[in-house]
Amino acid sequence: MRKLSTRRRHPLAGFVVLLLGLVVAGGLYSAFAPKPATAAEATSNDVEAGRKLFLVGCASCHGTNATGIETKRGGNYGPTLVGVGAAAVDFQVGTGRMPMAQTAPQAPRKAPVYTDEETRQLAAYVASLSPGPAVPDGEYTDIDKANEEDVREGGELFRSNCTACHNSVGAGGAMPGGKYAPTLKGVSAKHIAEAMITGPQQMPVFSDDVITPEDKRNIIAYVKQVQSQPNYGGLAGGGLGPVVDGLFTWIIGIGGLVIAAIWIGAHGARVKKK
């Protein structure tokens, strides 16, 4: 007994216990931590096809090595794409924002120039340059799997993190410097998820450590449900607020009456002095 007691008080005992605790904690975290949204790896043929498409359609701004091209004034024609990942390419190209039609503070959404297959190949090439966010797996963009509780949680997350820019119903809004938060109406679930994990333009990045893939899916489910609801109050007014009908009635209705009164007063019968 005395021998065991002496060993328990060995100077290295505390270090060994701490090491075991770290190993157990790391193992538990690896087992139960939220898994990142990933997609299937691309083939070498996709990467090569994407490189050819990139050299023809993207290298003039982003450089032949996708490291960007600097101007003489210190700016750039196009930023480096090394490390942006497949998700950023799929979002920018898939929504038609890239290639840009003209230089502007922000690239607007438009009809895509590339097909879905070409977009996938471009994303595969850029992803091969350096690790970055992958295109989310369909499991994390299938909003049909979200139940009522999921949608409720998604609404809380959306109101806490997104409404300041995108409006309470995802209608979008103006921002300084000629930029804006685009409307989320008509945007696919995949592209909304990609925007959250890549942070395009002035949008912040919501990594899977900040908002888990499941919570991202719940946010998307909430947005889609809100946008699918009928306007029981009448005119939606772009989702500008809860009393939009009253606002439009006051401005158009009362404003119209004021204009009519002014016109009548200016063109009414006048008595002339003899």
Side-chain angles (χ1 to χ4, degrees), residues 26-274:
L28 291 174
Y29 179 81
S30 299
F32 297 103
K35 298 296 187 271
T38 57
E41 294 183 1
T43 65
S44 58
N45 291 334
D46 289 334
V47 174
E48 180 59 24
R51 187 183 73 84
K52 293 178 180 179
L53 290 169
F54 183 89
L55 292 175
V56 173
C58 312
S60 59
C61 293
H62 295 286
T64 55
N65 296 319
T67 54
I69 298 179
E70 293 187 2
T71 63
K72 293 181 178 180
R73 296 183 178 181
N76 58 58
Y77 289 112
T80 178
L81 300 181
V82 177
V84 301
V89 178
D90 189 79
F91 172 81
Q92 297 287 357
V93 178
T95 60
R97 288 177 166 85
M98 292 292 155
M100 290 184 68
Q102 60 184 6
T103 303
Q106 185 166 325
R109 184 177 61 165
K110 61 183 186 298
V113 175
Y114 293 93
T115 65
D116 291 342
E117 182 180 6
E118 291 172 336
T119 300
R120 179 176 56 80
Q121 292 169 344
L122 280 169
Y125 168 67
V126 172
S128 70
L129 302 175
S130 182
V135 176
D137 189 84
E139 176 186 356
Y140 301 109
T141 55
D142 186 2
I143 59 176
D144 292 335
K145 294 182 178 180
N147 55 36
E148 184 176 348
E149 181 64 25
D150 293 336
V151 173
R152 186 181 299 111
E153 292 181 1
E156 293 178 358
L157 289 167
F158 184 84
R159 287 187 290 271
S160 300
N161 298 281
C162 313
T163 54
C165 298
H166 287 285
N167 180 282
S168 60
V169 294
M175 301 188 72
K179 298 180 180 180
Y180 58 92
T183 177
L184 302 181
K185 188 174 182 178
V187 182
S188 69
K190 181 182 71 168
H191 288 149
I192 295 177
E194 289 171 342
M196 285 191 277
I197 62 178
T198 61
Q201 297 168 9
Q202 73 276 359
M203 182 174 174
V205 176
F206 296 99
S207 67
D208 290 344
D209 293 329
V210 177
I211 299 179
T212 65
E214 291 81 4
D215 286 338
K216 288 185 177 71
R217 181 204 61 191
N218 295 342
I219 290 174
I220 298 169
Y222 165 77
V223 171
K224 294 301 183 182
Q225 185 184 79
V226 169
Q227 293 176 348
S228 65
Q229 292 177 348
N231 299 312
Y232 295 108
L235 181 65
L240 298 177
V243 290
V244 175
D245 292 351
L247 176 65
F248 277 78
T249 300
W250 178 263
I251 294 176
I252 298 175
I254 303 300
L257 291 175
V258 171
I259 293 173
I262 294 174
W263 186 88
I264 292 172
H267 296 80
R270 297 181 180 179
V271 177
K272 296 183 179 179
K273 295 183 179 180
K274 293 182 180 180

